[in-house]
Amino acid sequence: MGAVDRCSNSLANQTLKVMNPVKKYCAKEVSSLDKYRLGKEIKRWRKKRGMTQNELSKDICHQSEISRIEHGEVYPSIDLLQLFSSKLKVPVSYFFKVLIYDDFANKKTIVDRLFELSKRKKYDAILNCIVHEQDDCSGYGDYSKILSWHYWLAMYRLNKVDGLTCITELKLLLLDKTPSVIYLHLDYFIKNSIANIFAEQNKIREGARLYKEIIQYDSFEEKFVKLKIKALYNFSKLLFQREEYVLSIQHIDHAIMLSIRLDHMALLGQLYYQKAECMERLNDSNDQIAALYQKAYVFFDLLHLDFYRQIIVYKKYNYLNDRINTAD
C-alpha cells in the first residue's frame, strides 16, 4: 500500500477508537475555541436533520440554552450532550472527538487542499501531500480514511492500480460507519467515486445503484447538494446510454433546478448539453434543441471550459450559428 500503510492499515480491520471519551472530555481545559467548534457541529447536525432549535430542545432543555451552546457561549453538560446525540442520531463519541482533535482546523485545511488538487487532476501532488501527512494521522480515524480515499483514487487515475483494486480498497473504507468529524457525508463522496469507476468500467448497473443512493439521500448541506448535482448528471449519462431519454431528462432537470437554487454554475453547461442530446434522440423541436446547445455554449465560454467549447462547436455547429456569429 506504500504511502498510507500507517494511516489506513488495510482499513478492513480499522476501528475508530476514542479511549475513555468522557474522562478525556472532563479533563480537557475548556477554551472558547472548543466551545465554538462543538456548538458549530451541534448546529450543523441539527440543520442536517431538518430540526429547529425548539424541536431539538423539546423535553431536553430550554431553546435559549441550545442557542447559547450553538454560539459557543457555554458547554453542554455530559448528560445534555448524550441527549442531543440520541435525538440527532449521532454517536456521542463523534462530539467528543470534535473536542479531542486539537488541530482540527489544520486537518480541515489539508483536506480542502486535497479536494482542490483532485478537482484540478493534480494526482502526483495528491500523493506527495499524503506522504507528508501519513505520520500525522494516528488516532484520526476519519482523517486516515480521507487520506486513503484520495490515495487510491490518485493511484487509479495515474494507472498505478486497476479499477477493481481501487473499488475494493474504497469499499473497505466504507466498513467504518463512524460519521466524519472533518468532512460531512464522507461515505457518500466515496460511494460517488466508486460509482464513477464502475461507469468507466461499463458496469452500468453497479454504478447506477450507487448514484441512486446519493440522489435519494436527503440533505441540504451545500457540499452534499453539489455532490448530488454531480450524481444526477452522471446518472443521466448512464440513462442516456440505456436509451432512457425521458428519464434522463427528468434527472437533468432536477440537477439544473438544484444548480440554480444553489447558484452553482459548474455543471450547467454539461447539463444543458446532455439535455439537448436527449431531445435530439427524441426528435424534439429543433428550436428547443438549439436553445439548449446555445445555453451550454454560453456556460462553457463563461467558465473558460475550452475543451467542452471545442467539442460543442465541432459536433453541434449547425445549432450554434447565431450564437457564434453574435459572439464574433
Side-chain angles (χ1 to χ4, degrees):
M1 185 180 291
V4 290
D5 279 347
R6 289 188 291 278
C7 287
S8 64
N9 194 22
S10 184
L11 282 156
N13 301 316
Q14 180 184 342
T15 304
L16 194 55
K17 296 178 181 177
V18 180
M19 300 299 292
N20 299 320
V22 174
K23 180 179 178 182
K24 210 164 196 175
Y25 171 82
C26 295
K28 187 177 175 68
E29 182 181 352
V30 175
S31 74
S32 58
L33 178 60
D34 294 331
K35 292 177 192 174
Y36 174 77
R37 195 162 66 210
L38 180 60
K40 185 178 178 181
E41 285 302 308
I42 290 171
K43 180 179 180 179
R44 186 165 70 154
W45 279 97
R46 173 177 64 77
K47 289 197 166 186
K48 178 176 179 284
R49 299 303 186 205
M51 300 172 69
T52 64
Q53 289 184 346
N54 279 326
E55 288 169 332
L56 179 58
S57 65
K58 186 177 180 182
D59 300 325
I60 294 179
C61 63
H62 196 275
Q63 178 269 331
S64 62
E65 185 72 5
I66 301 285
S67 179
R68 293 180 68 207
I69 290 168
E70 289 187 354
H71 282 87
E73 296 174 13
V74 295
Y75 262 125
S77 67
I78 298 297
D79 290 341
L80 203 55
L81 192 58
Q82 288 174 332
L83 290 169
F84 290 158
S85 297
S86 176
K87 207 161 189 179
L88 294 171
K89 295 180 173 60
V90 179
V92 71
S93 60
Y94 173 91
F95 294 112
F96 290 126
K97 282 178 287 182
V98 170
L99 297 172
I100 292 166
Y101 284 14
D102 291 325
D103 59 347
F104 178 87
N106 180 53
K107 298 297 185 208
K108 184 68 168 61
T109 299
I110 293 166
V111 168
D112 289 343
R113 172 168 166 71
L114 287 172
F115 272 86
E116 182 60 30
L117 289 171
S118 180
K119 189 189 301 182
R120 292 160 50 198
K121 305 185 189 305
K122 302 289 186 180
Y123 302 117
D124 284 317
I126 287 173
L127 295 181
N128 288 334
C129 181
I130 290 171
V131 167
H132 285 100
E133 286 299 308
Q134 64 177 341
D135 292 323
D136 196 27
C137 62
S138 177
Y140 291 78
D142 54 342
Y143 188 56
S144 168
K145 188 173 179 178
I146 293 168
L147 293 185
S148 297
W149 168 38
H150 282 287
Y151 171 80
W152 287 112
L153 272 184
M155 291 288 283
Y156 170 68
R157 295 302 176 194
L158 292 169
N159 295 315
K160 294 185 177 182
V161 298
D162 59 23
L164 179 60
T165 300
C166 187
I167 287 170
T168 301
E169 293 294 339
L170 294 181
K171 283 183 175 180
L172 289 176
L173 298 181
L174 296 175
L175 295 178
D176 177 7
K177 302 296 184 183
T178 309
S180 173
V181 177
I182 300 173
Y183 212 87
L184 200 62
H185 308 303
L186 175 60
D187 283 1
Y188 284 97
F189 283 84
I190 295 174
K191 287 179 181 181
N192 185 65
S193 297
I194 296 172
N196 290 343
I197 298 170
F198 273 136
E200 291 165 13
Q201 304 284 322
N202 206 31
K203 295 183 177 179
I204 306 301
R205 186 174 61 181
E206 294 90 337
R209 179 178 57 81
L210 289 170
Y211 287 137
K212 283 180 184 178
E213 278 190 47
I214 298 165
I215 292 165
Q216 292 168 1
Y217 185 75
D218 191 23
S219 172
F220 298 105
E221 195 265 333
E222 183 176 327
K223 286 181 180 176
F224 181 81
V225 176
K226 289 179 180 179
L227 176 69
K228 183 179 283 192
I229 291 167
K230 289 180 182 178
L232 284 162
Y233 170 58
N234 288 326
F235 186 46
S236 75
K237 290 194 292 184
L238 294 187
L239 292 169
F240 182 87
Q241 285 181 259
R242 284 158 39 176
E243 300 183 356
E244 298 181 47
Y245 304 124
V246 173
L247 193 55
S248 180
I249 288 173
Q250 290 174 8
H251 285 80
I252 293 166
D253 284 340
H254 186 186
I256 291 172
M257 180 269 292
L258 290 177
S259 297
I260 293 171
R261 181 185 295 172
L262 197 62
D263 196 21
H264 179 62
M265 298 191 297
L267 282 177
L268 276 174
Q270 291 92 321
L271 288 166
Y272 284 124
Y273 185 97
Q274 186 70 24
K275 183 173 181 178
E277 283 211 309
C278 288
M279 291 177 69
E280 275 195 86
R281 299 302 190 279
L282 293 169
N283 296 314
D284 282 334
S285 160
N286 277 348
D287 289 342
Q288 288 181 306
I289 295 167
L292 289 170
Y293 280 131
Q294 288 170 17
K295 282 184 179 181
Y297 180 87
V298 167
F299 282 104
F300 294 153
D301 193 40
L302 183 66
L303 299 175
H304 306 291
L305 299 174
D306 294 335
F307 174 75
Y308 289 103
R309 187 170 55 183
Q310 289 169 11
I311 288 176
I312 196 171
V313 169
Y314 177 73
K315 291 187 174 181
K316 309 296 178 182
Y317 183 83
N318 56 313
Y319 290 108
L320 298 175
N321 284 337
D322 292 341
R323 170 63 57 189
I324 293 174
N325 291 335
T326 301
D328 291 341

